C-alpha cells in the first residue's frame, strides 16, 4: 500500500490528457499476474493511456480506485460473477468507466444484462486482442457504452421467466436472491475477515480505527443474520456475496498485510 505513488492520484481526470501530458488512467482487476503484465505493456505503448496498476481481489480493487482514481478499470468477469463489485465500483465513482472482460463461463444474456444494470460500460471477450481492447477503452470512455460486436447478439432483452413461490414457502433473504446487502466498506471488511485477519489487521490495511472496524463487523453480522465471523463468511460464500479466486490453484498466495494492489513501475 505504501508503494502507491501519490502524484498519480489524479492522472487523466476527468478525461483526456492531464496538464502534465498523461493520458487516461487505466487499472485492472484480475487474478492472473501475467495477464496484468501484458495489459500493462499494452497500455504503456498506447498513446493517450497511462497505466496505474492492478488489484487481484475485491477489497484491493476498491482501495485502488479510492487511492489512484483511474479513469478506466478493466475487470475479469470471473472475479465478479454476481456483478457485486461492478455495482460498488460504479456507485463509489460515477465517472469511472468499467470494462468487463468476459470469460466463456459468463458469456450469457443474463450476465451481460446484470453487468450493464450494475454500471458496466463496456463488455469485451477476455480473448480479445490488444487493438480491440484499446479501441474498447477509448470508445467506452468517449461514448460511455461499448459492446464488442461478437457479443451483440447477447444484449437482446432476455425473456423473463418468473418463478412462483410454492405454498408455505418462507420469503427468501436478500442474500439468497443475489442482492448486495452490505455497504462498500462492509464489503471490504468482510473480504479481509474471510482472509483470516483480525480487527487490528483490517484497520491497518483500510486505514480505519479498530473501533470502526468492530462496528462494521457488528453490522455485517446483523445484515447477514450470522452468529459470528466464521458464520458470516460461510453465508457470504454460499450466497455469492464473496467469491473464490477463479485461479487460486495457479496463483501464489500473497501475505494479506501487503495487500494485492500493484502500482505502475514507472
Amino acid at each position: 500500500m505504501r508503494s502507491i505513488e501519490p502524484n498519480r492520484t489524479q492522472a487523466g481526470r476527468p478525461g483526456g490528457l492531464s496538464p502534465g501530458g498523461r493520458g487516461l488512467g487505466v487499472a485492472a482487476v484480475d487474478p492472473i499476474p501475467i495477464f496484468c503484465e501484458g495489459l500493462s505493456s499494452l497500455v504503456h505503448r498506447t498513446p493517450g493511456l497511462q497505466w496505474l496498476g492492478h488489484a487481484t481481489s475485491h477489497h484491493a480493487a476498491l482501495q485502488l480506485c479510492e487511492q489512484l482514481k483511474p479513469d478506466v478499470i478493466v475487470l475479469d468477469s470471473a472475479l465478479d460473477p454476481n456483478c457485486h463489485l461492478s455495482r460498488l465500483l460504479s456507485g463509489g465513482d460515477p465517472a469511472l468507466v468499467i470494462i468487463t472482460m468476459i470469460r466463456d463461463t459468463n458469456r450469457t444474456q443474463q450476465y451481460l444484462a446484470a453487468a450493464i444494470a450494475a454500471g458496466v460500460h463496456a463488455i469485451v471477450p477476455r480473448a480479445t486482442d490488444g487493438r480491440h481492447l484499446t479501441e474498447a477503452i477509448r470508445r467506452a470512455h468517449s461514448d460511455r457504452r461499448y459492446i464488442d460486436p461478437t457479443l451483440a447478439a447477447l444484449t437482446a432483452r432476455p425473456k423473463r421467466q418468473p418463478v412462483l413461490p410454492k405454498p408455505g414457502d418462507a420469503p427468501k433473504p436478500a442474500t439468497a436472491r443475489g442482492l448486495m446487502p452490505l455497504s462498500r466498506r462492509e464489503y471490504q471488511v468482510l473480504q479481509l475477515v474471510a482472509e483470516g485477519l483480525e480487527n487490528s489487521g483490517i484497520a491497518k490495511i483500510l486505514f480505519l480505527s479498530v473501533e470502526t472496524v468492530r462496528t462494521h463487523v457488528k453490522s455485517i453480522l446483523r445484515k447477514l443474520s450470522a452468529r459470528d465471523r466464521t458464520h458470516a463468511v460461510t453465508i457470504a460464500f454460499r450466497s455469492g456475496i464473496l467469491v473464490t479466486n477463479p485461479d487460486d490453484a495457479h496463483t501464489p498466495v500473497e501475505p494479506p498485510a501487503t495487500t494485492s494492489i500493484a502500482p505502475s513501475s514507472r
Side-chain angles (χ1 to χ4, degrees), residues 6-220:
N7 64 340
R8 296 189 178 174
T9 57
Q10 298 298 325
R13 257 191 204 281
L17 293 178
S18 67
R22 291 191 296 269
L24 296 176
V26 179
V29 183
D30 195 283
I32 302 179
I34 195 167
F35 178 88
C36 293
E37 290 174 11
L39 181 56
S40 169
S41 177
L42 174 67
V43 169
H44 279 311
R45 66 175 183 264
T46 302
L49 301 182
Q50 170 75 23
W51 178 250
L52 297 185
H54 76 273
T56 60
S57 68
H58 288 207
H59 71 82
L62 293 170
Q63 283 184 285
L64 182 151
C65 289
E66 289 173 1
Q67 297 177 33
L68 298 183
K69 302 294 184 185
D71 298 289
V72 179
I73 192 100
V74 180
L75 172 62
D76 177 13
S77 68
L79 277 180
D80 199 23
N82 298 304
C83 301
H84 292 326
L85 180 57
S86 296
R87 194 175 299 278
L88 290 173
L89 289 173
S90 63
D93 183 0
L96 176 66
V97 172
I98 303 172
I99 298 177
T100 294
M101 299 199 75
I102 191 166
R103 298 197 188 200
D104 288 342
T105 53
N106 304 118
R107 196 166 174 155
T108 65
Q109 272 189 329
Q110 291 74 17
Y111 185 85
L112 264 69
I116 292 170
V120 171
H121 301 89
I123 302 175
V124 298
R126 186 171 169 82
T128 195
D129 60 35
R131 180 174 62 86
H132 285 101
L133 180 56
T134 54
E135 178 188 2
I137 291 173
R138 291 196 173 102
R139 290 276 297 276
H141 186 262
S142 61
D143 302 338
R144 306 293 292 182
R145 180 71 182 272
Y146 177 80
I147 304 296
D148 188 274
T150 62
L151 302 172
L154 297 177
T155 59
R157 188 181 298 274
K159 294 181 179 180
R160 299 184 64 184
Q161 298 184 6
V163 178
L164 299 177
K166 296 179 181 179
D169 279 357
K172 292 183 179 181
T175 53
R177 295 196 300 269
L179 302 180
M180 168 52 76
L182 306 179
S183 71
R184 181 186 180 97
R185 188 63 79 189
E186 289 166 352
Y187 188 54
Q188 287 181 284
V189 170
L190 183 59
Q191 287 274 333
L192 294 169
V193 168
E195 291 184 14
L197 273 73
E198 298 296 334
N199 290 350
S200 58
I202 296 172
K204 182 177 180 180
I205 288 177
L206 298 182
F207 303 104
L208 300 173
S209 69
V210 174
E211 184 58 37
T212 298
V213 172
R214 190 176 294 115
T215 298
H216 285 314
V217 171
K218 289 179 180 178
S219 180
I220 291 167

